[in-house]
Amino acid sequence: MKHLASLNAIMSRLHAKQLRLLIALAEKGSLLNAAEGLGLTQPGASKALKELESALGVELFLRTNRGLLPTPAGTCAIRFARLIQADLDNLRLELHAIASGSGGKLAIGTIMGAVPLLTHAISRLLDLQPRLSIEVVEDTSTTLLGLIDQGRLDAAICRLSVSERPESYDALVIKDESLAVIAHAAHPAAQRERVELRDLSDSRWVVYRANMPMRRTLEHEFFEAQLPFPLHLIETTSALTTLSLLSRNPRLVALVSVEVADYVCQHGLVSRLPLELRSHSEPYELVSRRSAQQNPAFALLVESLYAIQRED
């Protein structure tokens, strides 16, 4: 087994084209296709890969009849190559923002339940930095953490409990999550003063997919009530899809955060059912890559999120 190269040795031998090749190999799976995508000859790409493996002191790919398969070290190197690429892109964007006098860009992810909280914070953030450009990605915690790993998001409001590598991130607890059940105003339970979970056991549920924290909470509710978990679920991570389904079908119900329920109910889109849930969901966390150089707007976002909590 080779000894890992020193940082100075890596810095002196590492080239941008090697990182681009590493990313292309991960995406294309073959040396020929990766070389063509980068405008290199196959012998040139092969030489660049050997030089990279020599510089790092590890084998990055296994050569097989099906192409190149990344080793565990290769998978790690690919992840960091993408992060370096993303950091360089962020450098380019910030330099452009300085040159043009604009406010830069912030890329933020969010799970469905935290959408109202994040949009409130963004509104405050734009008051502080009106020339800031913002990208918002709504998805599951698992997907959002993957986007943070790739450097495509500066941070995300999600949960670290779904990660196999929680030590790779910094996390700030933002808010405890409370849950509510919503349905069409014409749902049979919408007019009752009190609803039990068994009253909804025959309803069609709109839920997150299995192993997501909110889904686990709902499963725990049914288990504690000694009821079988509903069949024929509709699974989605989209708030808009959930609301559109409920508004069109009075037989559907959905478990959402109280923030989402309050927002959609005050706009008359659906009704909140008078069901008292016993389980407590996991809190929201603002998650970012550990020890990453943060976008200056990130600190303003954190300030805005905590200011909202103080107001509440």
Side-chain angles (χ1 to χ4, degrees), residues 101-304:
S102 64
K105 180 180 178 181
L106 185 65
I108 297 294
T110 180
I111 55 178
M112 179 176 68
V115 167
L117 174 63
L118 178 59
T119 53
H120 189 177
I122 287 174
S123 180
R124 295 181 64 104
L125 180 57
L126 291 177
D127 289 337
L128 297 171
Q129 197 161 336
R131 304 183 74 176
L132 178 69
S133 296
I134 300 175
E135 177 187 2
V136 178
V137 177
E138 180 192 341
D139 216 307
T140 65
S141 293
T142 300
T143 299
L144 295 175
L145 292 174
L147 294 176
I148 291 174
D149 289 343
Q150 297 169 26
R152 293 173 58 187
L153 292 177
D154 294 299
I157 300 180
C158 58
R159 296 185 178 92
L160 272 184
S161 61
V162 303
S163 174
E164 297 179 354
R165 300 182 296 102
E167 69 282 355
S168 301
Y169 309 96
D170 291 323
L172 298 172
V173 174
I174 296 299
K175 192 178 190 301
D176 290 330
E177 182 185 51
S178 299
L179 301 176
V181 177
I182 57 175
H184 191 287
H187 189 281
Q191 306 306 319
R192 298 184 185 179
E193 293 185 2
R194 183 177 177 81
V195 173
E196 299 292 338
L197 193 59
R198 67 180 64 255
D199 300 325
L200 305 177
S201 58
D202 293 332
S203 295
R204 291 288 298 271
W205 283 81
V206 182
V207 296
Y208 263 35
R209 60 176 176 261
N211 298 321
M212 292 293 98
M214 192 179 291
R215 172 71 169 271
R216 293 199 299 262
T217 298
L218 183 62
E219 291 172 347
H220 184 259
E221 285 285 319
F222 274 89
F223 176 79
E224 289 295 312
Q226 298 183 341
L227 296 170
F229 194 69
L231 302 174
H232 314 301
L233 302 168
I234 302 174
E235 297 181 336
T236 180
T237 61
S238 167
L240 180 58
T241 299
T242 299
L243 297 175
S244 183
L245 285 167
L246 294 182
S247 67
R248 293 177 183 274
N249 191 326
R251 297 184 300 278
L252 299 177
V253 296
L255 182 67
V256 298
S257 70
V258 166
E259 288 81 9
V260 170
D262 288 344
Y263 180 81
V264 297
C265 289
Q266 75 182 19
H267 287 82
L269 300 177
V270 294
S271 295
R272 179 174 174 178
L273 302 184
L275 173 67
E276 183 176 342
L277 297 171
R278 303 173 184 176
S279 301
H280 296 284
S281 187
E282 299 171 29
Y284 300 136
E285 297 168 290
L286 183 63
V287 181
S288 58
R289 182 160 40 105
R290 173 145 293 178
S291 303
Q293 181 66 39
Q294 286 297 350
N295 187 318
F298 178 80
L300 295 178
L301 176 67
V302 173
E303 180 183 322
S304 297

Side-chain angles (χ1 to χ4, degrees), residues 12-148:
S12 64
R13 300 176 62 186
L14 193 63
H15 301 287
K17 72 174 183 179
Q18 296 167 336
L19 297 179
R20 292 175 61 217
L21 176 62
L22 192 56
I23 296 169
L25 286 171
E27 295 173 349
K28 303 293 186 181
S30 84
L31 195 62
L32 177 60
N33 292 337
E36 289 178 348
L38 297 175
L40 301 174
T41 64
Q42 186 170 352
S46 179
K47 179 181 178 183
L49 177 58
K50 289 179 180 178
E51 289 174 347
L52 178 59
E53 290 181 320
S54 175
L56 297 178
V58 292
E59 186 178 30
L60 300 176
F61 291 90
L62 296 175
R63 283 72 170 169
T64 73
N65 293 333
R66 294 176 295 168
L68 296 179
L69 298 179
T71 63
T75 299
C76 176
I78 290 165
R79 179 165 61 88
F80 277 94
R82 285 176 169 148
L83 290 173
I84 292 169
Q85 182 184 60
D87 284 341
L88 288 173
D89 190 43
N90 288 334
L91 169 63
R92 180 182 65 85
L93 292 173
E94 287 199 31
L95 290 176
H96 174 73
I98 292 170
S100 64
S102 64
K105 180 180 178 181
L106 185 65
I108 297 294
T110 180
I111 55 178
M112 179 176 68
V115 167
L117 174 63
L118 178 59
T119 53
H120 189 177
I122 287 174
S123 180
R124 295 181 64 104
L125 180 57
L126 291 177
D127 289 337
L128 297 171
Q129 197 161 336
R131 304 183 74 176
L132 178 69
S133 296
I134 300 175
E135 177 187 2
V136 178
V137 177
E138 180 192 341
D139 216 307
T140 65
S141 293
T142 300
T143 299
L144 295 175
L145 292 174
L147 294 176
I148 291 174

